[in-house]
Amino acid sequence: MSRATREVDDERRVSLVDLLDRVLAGGVVISGDIKLAIADVDLVQISLRALISSISTLSGPLHALEAPRDD
């Protein structure tokens, strides 16, 4: 393995904790469809959708959720 290849590999390596932190900070949507068919006749179709994020990312800043005050 050349030196340049090793340097690129070292830069691409991300620990699981860093990856989880990035996913929770920004959120990720996972979707997929599963279809079971025999002779072009659909027997079962399952649609899967999942949103993975932290609560603080979804709710946004606290001051945005508060009702405006009449001062």
Side-chain angles (χ1 to χ4, degrees):
M1 187 181 295
S2 70
R3 181 178 174 198
T5 305
R6 277 183 278 153
E7 288 177 5
V8 170
D9 287 342
D10 289 340
E11 290 177 7
R12 289 185 182 176
R13 290 186 183 169
V14 177
S15 69
L16 184 59
V17 173
D18 291 336
L19 180 63
L20 185 61
D21 185 48
R22 289 181 189 179
V23 166
L24 290 177
V28 65
V29 176
I30 301 171
S31 65
D33 296 314
I34 299 172
K35 189 181 291 187
L36 177 62
I38 297 177
D40 289 333
V41 176
D42 295 340
L43 300 176
V44 177
Q45 181 174 354
I46 301 171
S47 296
L48 305 170
R49 307 286 184 266
L51 172 64
I52 300 173
S53 181
S54 67
I55 293 174
S56 61
T57 300
L58 291 175
S59 64
L62 291 177
H63 65 276
L65 298 176
E66 295 176 359
R69 295 181 182 181
D70 294 332
D71 290 334

